[in-house]
Amino acid sequence: MDFKQLEEKYFLTLHEPCNTLLAISAYDLLQAGHMIRLLDTYGPYIKSKERSTTAVFFCTWLGELCAAMQHMLFCGEEVILELSLRNISVQLYDADTQYPLFSFKINEIRRIEISTVDREAWSTKVLHSFYNDLVRPLIEILSAVAQINVMQLWGQITNTLYSRMEEELAGASSVESRLQISNHYNILKQGIDPKAFGLRSNPFDVKLRYIEDPAQSNQRLLLKTACCLAYRLDSGFGYCDTCPRLNAKDRAARFPS
């Protein structure tokens, strides 16, 4: 298990950071008061005046935890690490960057052996449990305390996951590796019962759209599947270049030829 890569790329760690601003058990975040504390602590740092906007930004980080699970599934040969509400602590810390960062600390190293009999069926079962027991409860309490639709929150996780998928595919060392990455994302996209997400349909079963990269010719950018609400921050940031709210005319105005 490459702990260094999980930490540097997906913010899944075994360590407590320096300059911690907030650290709380993921299980405790199911209590409204604790989730509100997280949002109200994080919000001012990103200049968010609304809990709904802060919740959306937190979900982009939660997407990193989901990406870590995907990475372990398609890279693991023997074991993956157990990720559960009681075994994860959410850490907000100052990293001498423009905004503070989140990381997800594994409280106790518990290894789960990967099945060698029917890996696809086993992976499906693991993902169903991960989303049903860990991610879905956090999304639902976020939705309740921030008064925002769950689909807006699931959309941020989708954004992060598919962005990481693109990076993994681009960095794959062989055709076999690329196929393994794609196959495990297809399991997530098509093999998980929507009930695991508390929805009528799988939020990851979306058609990906691309635009030309205005900064690099012959390159494409992946459009986000849901707006991250950056335009609502009190920072004058506006819309992301890959925001689905922008049409072709809007983008052309942002990048005049």
Side-chain angles (χ1 to χ4, degrees), residues 117-204:
V117 178
D118 188 340
R119 182 164 179 154
E120 181 174 335
W122 180 86
S123 296
T124 301
K125 184 178 179 180
V126 168
L127 284 171
H128 187 284
S129 177
F130 173 71
Y131 282 97
N132 185 72
D133 300 339
L134 191 159
V135 184
R136 173 187 172 184
L138 291 175
I139 292 288
E140 291 178 346
I141 187 64
L142 270 171
S143 173
V145 301
Q147 297 184 332
I148 185 170
N149 190 283
V150 293
M151 292 307 299
Q152 184 77 33
L153 302 178
W154 281 111
Q156 308 315 308
I157 295 178
T158 302
N159 289 340
T160 301
L161 269 177
Y162 281 119
S163 177
R164 294 292 171 264
M165 181 192 73
E166 294 278 308
E167 293 174 6
E168 292 280 3
L169 289 172
S173 59
S174 65
V175 174
E176 182 180 9
S177 295
R178 289 177 60 87
L179 185 60
Q180 193 164 355
I181 292 168
S182 297
N183 286 344
H184 278 83
Y185 270 94
N186 283 334
I187 292 172
L188 176 62
K189 180 178 179 179
Q190 301 175 349
I192 310 303
D193 191 319
K195 291 180 181 177
F197 313 106
L199 303 172
R200 293 183 177 180
S201 60
N202 186 319
F204 303 116

Coordinates of all heavy atoms in Angstrom, one line a residue, residues 117-204:
V117 N -11.4 -14.3 -6.2 CA -12.4 -15.2 -6.9 C -13.2 -14.4 -7.9 O -13.2 -14.7 -9.1 CB -13.3 -15.8 -5.9 CG1 -14.4 -16.7 -6.6 CG2 -12.6 -16.7 -4.8
D118 N -13.8 -13.4 -7.5 CA -14.6 -12.5 -8.4 C -14.4 -11.1 -8.0 O -15.2 -10.5 -7.3 CB -16.1 -12.9 -8.4 CG -16.9 -12.2 -9.5 OD1 -16.4 -11.2 -10.0 OD2 -18.0 -12.7 -9.8
R119 N -13.3 -10.5 -8.5 CA -12.9 -9.2 -8.1 C -14.0 -8.1 -8.4 O -14.2 -7.2 -7.6 CB -11.6 -8.8 -8.7 CG -11.1 -7.4 -8.3 CD -9.6 -7.2 -8.6 NE -9.2 -5.9 -8.2 CZ -7.9 -5.7 -7.9 NH1 -7.0 -6.6 -7.9 NH2 -7.6 -4.4 -7.5
E120 N -14.7 -8.2 -9.5 CA -15.7 -7.2 -9.9 C -16.8 -7.3 -8.9 O -17.3 -6.2 -8.4 CB -16.2 -7.5 -11.3 CG -17.2 -6.4 -11.7 CD -17.6 -6.6 -13.2 OE1 -16.8 -7.1 -14.0 OE2 -18.7 -6.1 -13.6
A121 N -17.3 -8.4 -8.6 CA -18.4 -8.6 -7.6 C -18.0 -8.1 -6.3 O -18.8 -7.4 -5.5 CB -18.9 -10.0 -7.6
W122 N -16.8 -8.4 -5.9 CA -16.3 -8.0 -4.6 C -16.1 -6.4 -4.5 O -16.5 -5.8 -3.6 CB -14.9 -8.6 -4.3 CG -14.3 -8.2 -3.0 CD1 -14.5 -8.8 -1.8 CD2 -13.4 -7.1 -2.8 NE1 -13.8 -8.1 -0.8 CE2 -13.0 -7.1 -1.4 CE3 -12.8 -6.2 -3.6 CZ2 -12.2 -6.2 -0.9 CZ3 -11.9 -5.3 -3.1 CH2 -11.6 -5.3 -1.7
S123 N -15.6 -5.8 -5.6 CA -15.5 -4.4 -5.7 C -16.8 -3.7 -5.6 O -17.0 -2.6 -5.0 CB -14.7 -4.0 -6.9 OG -13.4 -4.5 -7.0
T124 N -17.8 -4.3 -6.3 CA -19.2 -3.7 -6.3 C -19.7 -3.7 -4.8 O -20.3 -2.7 -4.4 CB -20.1 -4.6 -7.2 OG1 -19.6 -4.6 -8.5 CG2 -21.5 -4.0 -7.1
K125 N -19.5 -4.8 -4.1 CA -20.0 -4.9 -2.7 C -19.3 -3.8 -1.8 O -19.9 -3.2 -1.0 CB -19.7 -6.3 -2.2 CG -20.3 -6.5 -0.8 CD -20.0 -7.9 -0.4 CE -20.6 -8.2 1.1 NZ -20.3 -9.6 1.5
V126 N -18.0 -3.7 -2.0 CA -17.2 -2.7 -1.2 C -17.7 -1.3 -1.5 O -17.9 -0.5 -0.6 CB -15.7 -2.9 -1.5 CG1 -14.9 -1.7 -0.9 CG2 -15.2 -4.2 -0.9
L127 N -17.9 -1.0 -2.8 CA -18.3 0.4 -3.1 C -19.7 0.7 -2.6 O -20.0 1.8 -2.1 CB -18.2 0.6 -4.6 CG -16.8 0.8 -5.2 CD1 -16.9 0.7 -6.7 CD2 -16.2 2.1 -4.7
H128 N -20.6 -0.3 -2.7 CA -21.9 -0.1 -2.2 C -21.9 0.2 -0.7 O -22.6 1.1 -0.2 CB -22.8 -1.4 -2.4 CG -24.2 -1.3 -2.1 ND1 -24.7 -1.3 -0.8 CD2 -25.3 -1.1 -2.9 CE1 -26.0 -1.1 -0.8 NE2 -26.4 -1.0 -2.1
S129 N -21.1 -0.6 0.0 CA -21.0 -0.3 1.5 C -20.4 1.0 1.8 O -20.9 1.8 2.7 CB -20.2 -1.4 2.1 OG -20.0 -1.2 3.5
F130 N -19.4 1.4 1.1 CA -18.7 2.7 1.3 C -19.6 3.8 1.1 O -19.6 4.8 1.9 CB -17.5 2.7 0.3 CG -16.8 4.1 0.3 CD1 -16.0 4.5 1.4 CD2 -16.9 4.9 -0.8 CE1 -15.3 5.7 1.3 CE2 -16.2 6.1 -0.8 CZ -15.4 6.5 0.2
Y131 N -20.4 3.8 0.0 CA -21.3 5.0 -0.2 C -22.5 4.9 0.7 O -23.0 6.0 1.1 CB -21.7 5.0 -1.7 CG -20.5 5.6 -2.5 CD1 -19.6 4.8 -3.2 CD2 -20.4 7.0 -2.6 CE1 -18.6 5.3 -3.9 CE2 -19.3 7.5 -3.4 CZ -18.4 6.7 -4.0 OH -17.4 7.2 -4.7
N132 N -23.0 3.7 0.9 CA -24.3 3.6 1.7 C -24.0 4.0 3.2 O -24.8 4.6 3.8 CB -24.8 2.2 1.6 CG -26.1 2.1 2.3 OD1 -27.2 2.6 1.9 ND2 -26.1 1.4 3.5
D133 N -22.8 3.5 3.7 CA -22.6 3.6 5.1 C -21.7 4.8 5.5 O -21.8 5.3 6.7 CB -21.8 2.4 5.6 CG -22.7 1.1 5.4 OD1 -23.9 1.2 5.2 OD2 -22.1 0.0 5.3
L134 N -20.9 5.4 4.6 CA -20.1 6.5 4.9 C -20.4 7.8 4.2 O -20.7 8.8 4.8 CB -18.6 6.1 4.6 CG -17.5 7.1 5.1 CD1 -16.2 6.4 5.2 CD2 -17.3 8.3 4.3
V135 N -20.5 7.8 2.9 CA -20.6 9.0 2.1 C -22.1 9.5 2.2 O -22.3 10.7 2.4 CB -20.2 8.8 0.6 CG1 -20.3 10.1 -0.1 CG2 -18.8 8.3 0.6
R136 N -23.0 8.6 1.9 CA -24.4 9.0 1.9 C -24.9 9.7 3.2 O -25.5 10.8 3.2 CB -25.3 7.8 1.6 CG -26.8 8.1 1.8 CD -27.6 6.9 1.6 NE -29.0 7.1 1.9 CZ -30.0 6.1 1.9 NH1 -29.6 4.9 1.6 NH2 -31.2 6.4 2.2
P137 N -24.6 9.2 4.4 CA -25.0 9.8 5.6 C -24.4 11.2 5.8 O -25.1 12.2 6.3 CB -24.4 8.9 6.7 CG -24.4 7.6 6.1 CD -24.0 7.8 4.7
L138 N -23.1 11.4 5.3 CA -22.5 12.8 5.4 C -23.2 13.7 4.5 O -23.4 14.9 4.8 CB -21.0 12.7 5.1 CG -20.2 11.9 6.2 CD1 -18.7 11.8 5.7 CD2 -20.2 12.7 7.5
I139 N -23.5 13.3 3.3 CA -24.2 14.1 2.3 C -25.6 14.5 2.8 O -26.0 15.7 2.7 CB -24.4 13.4 1.0 CG1 -23.1 13.2 0.3 CG2 -25.4 14.1 0.0 CD1 -22.5 14.4 -0.3
E140 N -26.3 13.6 3.4 CA -27.6 13.9 3.9 C -27.7 14.9 5.1 O -28.5 15.7 5.2 CB -28.4 12.6 4.3 CG -28.7 11.8 3.0 CD -29.3 10.4 3.3 OE1 -29.4 10.0 4.5 OE2 -29.9 9.8 2.4
I141 N -26.7 14.8 6.0 CA -26.7 15.7 7.1 C -26.2 17.1 6.6 O -26.7 18.1 7.0 CB -25.8 15.2 8.3 CG1 -25.9 16.2 9.5 CG2 -24.3 15.1 7.9 CD1 -27.3 16.2 10.1
L142 N -25.3 17.1 5.6 CA -24.9 18.4 5.0 C -26.1 19.1 4.4 O -26.3 20.3 4.5 CB -23.8 18.1 4.0 CG -22.3 18.1 4.4 CD1 -21.4 17.6 3.3 CD2 -21.9 19.5 4.8
S143 N -26.8 18.3 3.6 CA -28.0 18.8 2.9 C -29.0 19.4 3.9 O -29.5 20.5 3.7 CB -28.7 17.7 2.1 OG -29.9 18.2 1.6
A144 N -29.2 18.7 5.1 CA -30.1 19.2 6.1 C -29.7 20.5 6.8 O -30.5 21.4 6.9 CB -30.4 18.1 7.1
V145 N -28.4 20.5 7.2 CA -28.0 21.7 8.0 C -27.7 22.9 7.1 O -27.8 24.1 7.5 CB -26.7 21.4 8.8 CG1 -27.0 20.2 9.8 CG2 -25.5 21.1 8.0
A146 N -27.3 22.7 5.8 CA -27.0 23.7 4.9 C -28.2 24.1 4.0 O -28.1 25.1 3.3 CB -25.8 23.4 4.0
Q147 N -29.2 23.3 4.1 CA -30.4 23.6 3.3 C -30.1 23.7 1.8 O -30.4 24.7 1.1 CB -31.2 24.9 3.8 CG -31.7 24.7 5.2 CD -32.5 25.9 5.7 OE1 -32.3 27.0 5.2 NE2 -33.4 25.7 6.6
I148 N -29.5 22.6 1.3 CA -29.2 22.6 -0.1 C -29.5 21.2 -0.6 O -29.4 20.2 0.1 CB -27.7 22.9 -0.3 CG1 -27.3 22.9 -1.8 CG2 -26.8 21.9 0.4 CD1 -25.9 23.5 -2.1
N149 N -29.9 21.1 -1.9 CA -30.3 19.8 -2.5 C -29.2 18.9 -2.5 O -28.0 19.2 -2.8 CB -30.9 20.1 -3.9 CG -31.5 18.9 -4.5 OD1 -30.8 17.9 -4.9 ND2 -32.8 18.9 -4.5
V150 N -29.5 17.6 -2.2 CA -28.4 16.6 -2.2 C -27.7 16.4 -3.6 O -26.5 16.1 -3.6 CB -28.9 15.2 -1.7 CG1 -29.3 15.2 -0.3 CG2 -30.1 14.7 -2.6
M151 N -28.4 16.7 -4.7 CA -27.8 16.5 -6.0 C -26.7 17.5 -6.2 O -25.7 17.2 -6.9 CB -28.9 16.6 -7.1 CG -29.9 15.5 -7.1 SD -29.1 13.8 -7.1 CE -28.2 13.9 -8.7
Q152 N -26.9 18.7 -5.7 CA -25.8 19.7 -5.8 C -24.5 19.2 -5.1 O -23.4 19.4 -5.6 CB -26.2 21.0 -5.2 CG -25.2 22.1 -5.4 CD -25.2 22.7 -6.8 OE1 -26.3 22.8 -7.4 NE2 -24.1 23.2 -7.2
L153 N -24.7 18.5 -4.0 CA -23.6 18.0 -3.2 C -23.0 16.7 -3.9 O -21.7 16.6 -4.0 CB -24.0 17.6 -1.8 CG -24.6 18.8 -1.0 CD1 -25.1 18.3 0.4 CD2 -23.6 19.9 -0.9
W154 N -23.8 15.8 -4.4 CA -23.3 14.7 -5.1 C -22.5 15.1 -6.4 O -21.6 14.5 -6.8 CB -24.4 13.7 -5.5 CG -24.9 12.8 -4.4 CD1 -26.1 12.9 -3.7 CD2 -24.1 11.7 -3.8 NE1 -26.1 11.9 -2.8 CE2 -25.0 11.2 -2.8 CE3 -22.9 11.2 -4.0 CZ2 -24.6 10.1 -2.0 CZ3 -22.5 10.1 -3.2 CH2 -23.3 9.6 -2.2
G155 N -23.0 16.2 -7.0 CA -22.3 16.7 -8.2 C -20.9 17.1 -7.9 O -20.0 16.9 -8.8
Q156 N -20.6 17.6 -6.7 CA -19.2 18.0 -6.4 C -18.3 16.7 -6.3 O -17.1 16.7 -6.7 CB -19.1 18.8 -5.1 CG -20.1 20.0 -5.1 CD -20.1 20.8 -6.4 OE1 -19.0 21.2 -6.9 NE2 -21.3 21.0 -6.9
I157 N -18.8 15.7 -5.7 CA -18.1 14.4 -5.6 C -17.8 13.9 -7.0 O -16.8 13.4 -7.4 CB -18.8 13.4 -4.7 CG1 -18.8 14.0 -3.3 CG2 -18.1 12.0 -4.8 CD1 -19.6 13.1 -2.3
T158 N -18.9 13.9 -7.9 CA -18.7 13.5 -9.3 C -17.6 14.3 -10.0 O -16.8 13.7 -10.7 CB -20.0 13.7 -10.0 OG1 -21.1 12.9 -9.4 CG2 -19.9 13.2 -11.4
N159 N -17.6 15.6 -9.8 CA -16.6 16.5 -10.4 C -15.2 16.0 -10.0 O -14.3 15.8 -10.8 CB -16.8 17.9 -9.9 CG -18.0 18.6 -10.6 OD1 -18.5 18.2 -11.6 ND2 -18.4 19.7 -9.9
T160 N -15.0 15.8 -8.7 CA -13.7 15.5 -8.2 C -13.3 14.1 -8.7 O -12.1 13.9 -9.1 CB -13.7 15.5 -6.6 OG1 -14.0 16.8 -6.2 CG2 -12.3 15.1 -6.1
L161 N -14.2 13.1 -8.6 CA -13.9 11.8 -9.0 C -13.5 11.7 -10.5 O -12.4 11.0 -10.8 CB -15.1 10.8 -8.8 CG -15.2 10.1 -7.5 CD1 -16.4 9.3 -7.4 CD2 -14.0 9.2 -7.2
Y162 N -14.2 12.3 -11.4 CA -13.9 12.2 -12.8 C -12.6 13.0 -13.2 O -11.9 12.7 -14.1 CB -15.1 12.6 -13.7 CG -16.1 11.5 -13.7 CD1 -17.4 11.6 -13.3 CD2 -15.7 10.2 -14.3 CE1 -18.3 10.6 -13.4 CE2 -16.6 9.2 -14.4 CZ -17.9 9.4 -13.9 OH -18.8 8.3 -14.0
S163 N -12.4 14.1 -12.4 CA -11.1 14.8 -12.6 C -9.9 14.0 -12.2 O -8.9 13.9 -13.0 CB -11.1 16.1 -11.8 OG -9.9 16.8 -11.9
R164 N -10.1 13.2 -11.1 CA -9.0 12.3 -10.7 C -8.9 11.1 -11.7 O -7.8 10.7 -11.9 CB -9.2 11.8 -9.3 CG -9.2 12.9 -8.3 CD -7.7 13.4 -8.1 NE -7.7 14.6 -7.2 CZ -7.7 15.8 -7.7 NH1 -7.7 16.1 -9.0 NH2 -7.7 16.9 -6.8
M165 N -10.0 10.7 -12.2 CA -9.9 9.6 -13.2 C -9.1 10.0 -14.4 O -8.3 9.3 -15.0 CB -11.3 9.2 -13.6 CG -11.4 8.1 -14.6 SD -13.0 7.8 -15.4 CE -13.1 9.2 -16.5
E166 N -9.4 11.3 -14.9 CA -8.6 11.8 -16.1 C -7.1 11.8 -15.8 O -6.3 11.4 -16.6 CB -9.1 13.2 -16.4 CG -10.5 13.3 -16.9 CD -10.7 12.9 -18.4 OE1 -9.9 13.5 -19.2 OE2 -11.5 12.1 -18.7
E167 N -6.8 12.2 -14.6 CA -5.3 12.2 -14.2 C -4.7 10.8 -14.1 O -3.6 10.6 -14.6 CB -5.2 12.9 -12.8 CG -5.5 14.4 -12.8 CD -5.5 15.0 -11.5 OE1 -5.1 14.3 -10.5 OE2 -5.9 16.2 -11.3
E168 N -5.5 9.9 -13.6 CA -5.0 8.5 -13.5 C -4.8 7.9 -14.9 O -3.8 7.3 -15.1 CB -6.0 7.7 -12.7 CG -6.1 8.0 -11.2 CD -5.0 7.4 -10.4 OE1 -4.1 6.8 -11.0 OE2 -5.0 7.6 -9.1
L169 N -5.8 8.2 -15.7 CA -5.6 7.6 -17.1 C -4.5 8.2 -17.8 O -3.7 7.5 -18.6 CB -6.9 7.9 -17.9 CG -8.2 7.1 -17.5 CD1 -9.4 7.6 -18.2 CD2 -8.0 5.6 -17.7
A170 N -4.3 9.5 -17.6 CA -3.2 10.2 -18.3 C -1.8 9.7 -17.8 O -0.8 9.7 -18.6 CB -3.3 11.7 -18.1
G171 N -1.8 9.3 -16.5 CA -0.5 8.9 -16.0 C -0.3 7.4 -16.0 O 0.7 6.9 -15.5
A172 N -1.3 6.7 -16.5 CA -1.2 5.2 -16.6 C 0.0 4.8 -17.4 O 0.3 5.3 -18.5 CB -2.4 4.6 -17.1
S173 N 0.7 3.7 -17.0 CA 2.0 3.3 -17.6 C 1.7 2.3 -18.7 O 2.7 2.0 -19.5 CB 2.9 2.7 -16.6 OG 2.3 1.6 -15.9
S174 N 0.5 1.8 -18.8 CA 0.3 0.7 -19.8 C -1.2 0.7 -20.2 O -2.1 1.3 -19.5 CB 0.7 -0.7 -19.3 OG -0.2 -1.0 -18.2
V175 N -1.5 0.0 -21.3 CA -2.9 -0.2 -21.7 C -3.6 -0.9 -20.7 O -4.8 -0.7 -20.4 CB -2.9 -0.9 -23.1 CG1 -4.4 -1.2 -23.5 CG2 -2.3 0.0 -24.2
E176 N -3.0 -1.9 -20.1 CA -3.6 -2.7 -19.1 C -4.0 -1.9 -17.8 O -5.1 -2.1 -17.3 CB -2.7 -3.9 -18.6 CG -3.3 -4.8 -17.6 CD -2.3 -5.9 -17.1 OE1 -1.1 -5.8 -17.5 OE2 -2.8 -6.8 -16.4
S177 N -3.2 -1.0 -17.4 CA -3.5 -0.1 -16.3 C -4.7 0.8 -16.6 O -5.6 1.0 -15.8 CB -2.3 0.7 -16.0 OG -1.2 -0.1 -15.5
R178 N -4.7 1.4 -17.8 CA -5.8 2.2 -18.2 C -7.1 1.4 -18.2 O -8.1 2.0 -17.8 CB -5.5 2.8 -19.7 CG -4.4 3.8 -19.7 CD -4.2 4.3 -21.1 NE -5.3 4.9 -21.7 CZ -5.7 6.2 -21.6 NH1 -4.9 7.0 -20.9 NH2 -6.8 6.6 -22.2
L179 N -7.0 0.2 -18.7 CA -8.3 -0.6 -18.7 C -8.8 -0.9 -17.3 O -10.0 -0.9 -17.1 CB -8.0 -1.9 -19.5 CG -9.2 -2.8 -19.7 CD1 -10.2 -2.1 -20.5 CD2 -8.7 -4.1 -20.4
Q180 N -7.8 -1.2 -16.4 CA -8.2 -1.5 -15.0 C -8.9 -0.2 -14.4 O -9.8 -0.4 -13.7 CB -7.0 -1.9 -14.2 CG -7.4 -2.6 -12.9 CD -6.2 -3.3 -12.3 OE1 -5.2 -3.5 -12.9 NE2 -6.4 -3.8 -11.1
I181 N -8.3 0.9 -14.6 CA -8.9 2.2 -14.1 C -10.3 2.4 -14.6 O -11.2 2.6 -13.9 CB -8.0 3.4 -14.5 CG1 -6.6 3.3 -13.7 CG2 -8.7 4.7 -14.1 CD1 -5.6 4.3 -14.2
S182 N -10.4 2.3 -15.9 CA -11.7 2.4 -16.6 C -12.8 1.4 -16.1 O -13.9 1.8 -15.8 CB -11.6 2.4 -18.1 OG -10.8 3.4 -18.6
N183 N -12.3 0.2 -15.9 CA -13.3 -0.9 -15.5 C -13.8 -0.6 -14.1 O -15.0 -0.8 -13.8 CB -12.6 -2.2 -15.5 CG -12.4 -2.8 -16.9 OD1 -13.0 -2.3 -17.9 ND2 -11.5 -3.7 -17.1
H184 N -12.9 -0.1 -13.2 CA -13.4 0.2 -11.8 C -14.3 1.4 -11.7 O -15.2 1.5 -10.9 CB -12.2 0.3 -10.9 CG -11.6 -1.0 -10.4 ND1 -10.8 -1.7 -11.2 CD2 -11.9 -1.7 -9.3 CE1 -10.5 -2.9 -10.6 NE2 -11.1 -2.9 -9.4
Y185 N -14.1 2.4 -12.6 CA -15.0 3.5 -12.7 C -16.3 3.1 -13.3 O -17.4 3.6 -12.9 CB -14.4 4.7 -13.4 CG -13.6 5.6 -12.6 CD1 -12.2 5.5 -12.4 CD2 -14.2 6.6 -11.8 CE1 -11.5 6.3 -11.5 CE2 -13.5 7.4 -11.0 CZ -12.1 7.3 -10.8 OH -11.5 8.1 -10.0
N186 N -16.3 2.1 -14.2 CA -17.5 1.6 -14.8 C -18.3 0.9 -13.7 O -19.6 0.9 -13.8 CB -17.2 0.7 -16.0 CG -16.9 1.5 -17.2 OD1 -17.3 2.7 -17.4 ND2 -16.1 0.9 -18.1
I187 N -17.7 0.2 -12.8 CA -18.4 -0.5 -11.7 C -19.1 0.5 -10.9 O -20.3 0.4 -10.5 CB -17.4 -1.3 -10.8 CG1 -16.8 -2.5 -11.6 CG2 -18.1 -1.8 -9.6 CD1 -15.7 -3.2 -10.9
L188 N -18.4 1.6 -10.6 CA -19.0 2.7 -9.8 C -20.2 3.3 -10.5 O -21.3 3.6 -10.0 CB -18.0 3.8 -9.4 CG -18.5 5.0 -8.7 CD1 -19.1 4.7 -7.4 CD2 -17.4 6.0 -8.6
K189 N -20.0 3.5 -11.8 CA -21.0 4.2 -12.7 C -22.2 3.4 -13.0 O -23.4 3.9 -13.0 CB -20.3 4.7 -14.0 CG -21.2 5.4 -14.9 CD -20.4 5.8 -16.2 CE -21.3 6.6 -17.2 NZ -20.5 7.0 -18.4
Q190 N -22.0 2.1 -13.2 CA -23.1 1.3 -13.7 C -23.5 0.1 -12.8 O -24.6 -0.5 -12.9 CB -22.8 0.7 -15.1 CG -22.5 1.8 -16.1 CD -22.0 1.3 -17.4 OE1 -21.7 0.1 -17.6 NE2 -22.0 2.2 -18.4
G191 N -22.6 -0.2 -11.8 CA -22.8 -1.4 -11.0 C -23.4 -1.2 -9.7 O -23.8 -2.2 -9.0
I192 N -23.5 0.0 -9.2 CA -23.9 0.3 -7.8 C -25.4 0.7 -7.8 O -25.8 1.6 -8.5 CB -23.1 1.4 -7.2 CG1 -21.6 1.1 -7.3 CG2 -23.5 1.6 -5.7 CD1 -21.2 -0.2 -6.8
D193 N -26.2 0.0 -7.0 CA -27.6 0.3 -6.9 C -27.8 1.7 -6.4 O -27.2 2.1 -5.4 CB -28.2 -0.7 -5.9 CG -29.7 -0.7 -5.9 OD1 -30.3 0.4 -6.0 OD2 -30.4 -1.8 -5.8
P194 N -28.7 2.5 -7.0 CA -28.9 3.9 -6.6 C -29.3 4.0 -5.1 O -29.2 5.0 -4.5 CB -30.0 4.3 -7.5 CG -29.9 3.5 -8.7 CD -29.4 2.2 -8.3
K195 N -29.9 2.9 -4.5 CA -30.3 2.9 -3.1 C -29.1 3.2 -2.2 O -29.2 3.8 -1.1 CB -30.9 1.6 -2.8 CG -32.3 1.3 -3.4 CD -32.8 0.0 -3.0 CE -34.2 -0.3 -3.7 NZ -34.7 -1.6 -3.3
A196 N -27.9 2.9 -2.7 CA -26.7 3.1 -1.9 C -26.4 4.6 -1.7 O -25.8 5.1 -0.7 CB -25.5 2.5 -2.5
F197 N -26.9 5.4 -2.6 CA -26.8 6.9 -2.6 C -28.1 7.5 -2.1 O -28.1 8.8 -1.9 CB -26.5 7.4 -4.0 CG -25.4 6.7 -4.7 CD1 -25.7 5.8 -5.8 CD2 -24.1 6.8 -4.4 CE1 -24.7 5.1 -6.5 CE2 -23.1 6.1 -5.0 CZ -23.4 5.3 -6.1
G198 N -29.1 6.8 -1.8 CA -30.4 7.3 -1.4 C -31.1 8.1 -2.5 O -31.9 9.0 -2.2
L199 N -30.8 7.7 -3.7 CA -31.3 8.4 -4.9 C -32.1 7.4 -5.8 O -32.0 6.2 -5.7 CB -30.2 9.1 -5.7 CG -29.3 10.0 -4.9 CD1 -28.1 10.5 -5.7 CD2 -30.2 11.3 -4.4
R200 N -32.8 8.0 -6.8 CA -33.5 7.1 -7.8 C -32.5 6.7 -8.9 O -32.8 5.8 -9.6 CB -34.6 7.9 -8.3 CG -35.8 8.2 -7.3 CD -36.9 8.9 -8.0 NE -38.0 9.1 -7.1 CZ -39.2 9.7 -7.4 NH1 -39.4 10.1 -8.6 NH2 -40.1 9.8 -6.5
S201 N -31.4 7.4 -9.1 CA -30.5 7.1 -10.1 C -29.0 7.3 -9.6 O -28.8 8.0 -8.6 CB -30.7 7.9 -11.4 OG -30.5 9.3 -11.0
N202 N -28.1 6.6 -10.2 CA -26.7 6.7 -9.8 C -26.1 8.1 -10.2 O -26.1 8.4 -11.4 CB -25.9 5.6 -10.5 CG -24.5 5.5 -10.0 OD1 -23.8 6.4 -9.8 ND2 -24.0 4.2 -9.9
P203 N -25.7 8.9 -9.2 CA -25.2 10.2 -9.6 C -23.9 10.2 -10.4 O -23.6 11.2 -11.0 CB -24.9 10.8 -8.2 CG -24.6 9.6 -7.3 CD -25.5 8.6 -7.8
F204 N -23.2 9.1 -10.5 CA -22.0 9.0 -11.3 C -22.3 8.5 -12.7 O -21.3 8.5 -13.6 CB -21.0 8.1 -10.6 CG -20.7 8.5 -9.2 CD1 -21.0 7.7 -8.1 CD2 -20.1 9.7 -9.0 CE1 -20.7 8.1 -6.8 CE2 -19.8 10.1 -7.7 CZ -20.1 9.3 -6.6

